[in-house]
Amino acid sequence: QVYLVESGGGSVQSGGSLRLSCAASGLTYSRYCMAWFRQAPGKERERVAAISSPGGTAYAEPVKGRFTISRDNAKNTLYLQMNNLTPEDTATYYCAAADRDYCPGSSPAGYKNWGQGTQVTVSS
């Protein structure tokens, strides 16, 4: 059984920073593509960042230059450092995994395992 558990969400003011973590278990973590998605009320779930097994990264345009995805394979943990947050970043953030070394496309359908989500709220 694969378990992904997010943590680190919270409320910050515009311009602030948060670091999200995703603890993974039940999978060969080092051989999985890992990604962060977010979903705001009334909007589609979107991939904000992904990292392949070899460590290559990809970012959605709205977060480029502000967010950094990383992974610590020794700890089976995924991170998302979010800087210079804006109210547009307010959403529930989800950790997701795809059972392949290289990441599929940005569609949520390409990711088989999901965490429960952690709320990020950015106020003006």
Side-chain angles (χ1 to χ4, degrees), residues 34-100:
M34 301 295 295
W36 289 98
F37 287 75
R38 68 185 182 187
Q39 188 165 25
K43 295 189 176 182
E44 296 291 314
R45 186 170 297 191
E46 65 172 347
R47 193 180 77 176
V48 300
I51 184 166
S52 68
S53 177
T57 59
Y59 297 92
E61 187 65 29
V63 310
K64 285 181 179 177
R66 299 188 298 120
F67 290 11
T68 302
I69 188 171
S70 62
R71 63 194 297 164
D72 186 337
N73 289 346
K75 297 180 179 179
N76 284 3
T77 303
L78 179 73
Y79 303 97
L80 185 68
Q81 179 66 46
M82 305 185 293
N83 297 325
N84 195 24
L85 287 161
T86 77
E88 318 253 315
D89 297 315
T90 294
T92 301
Y93 283 71
Y94 299 90
C95 175
D99 60 348
R100 53 197 303 158

Side-chain angles (χ1 to χ4, degrees), residues 9-62:
S11 298
V12 297
Q13 291 202 312
S14 184
S17 298
L18 286 171
R19 190 192 194 202
L20 306 183
S21 298
C22 171
S25 62
L27 74 172
T28 307
Y29 175 81
S30 63
R31 301 301 302 274
Y32 273 66
C33 160
M34 301 295 295
W36 289 98
F37 287 75
R38 68 185 182 187
Q39 188 165 25
K43 295 189 176 182
E44 296 291 314
R45 186 170 297 191
E46 65 172 347
R47 193 180 77 176
V48 300
I51 184 166
S52 68
S53 177
T57 59
Y59 297 92
E61 187 65 29

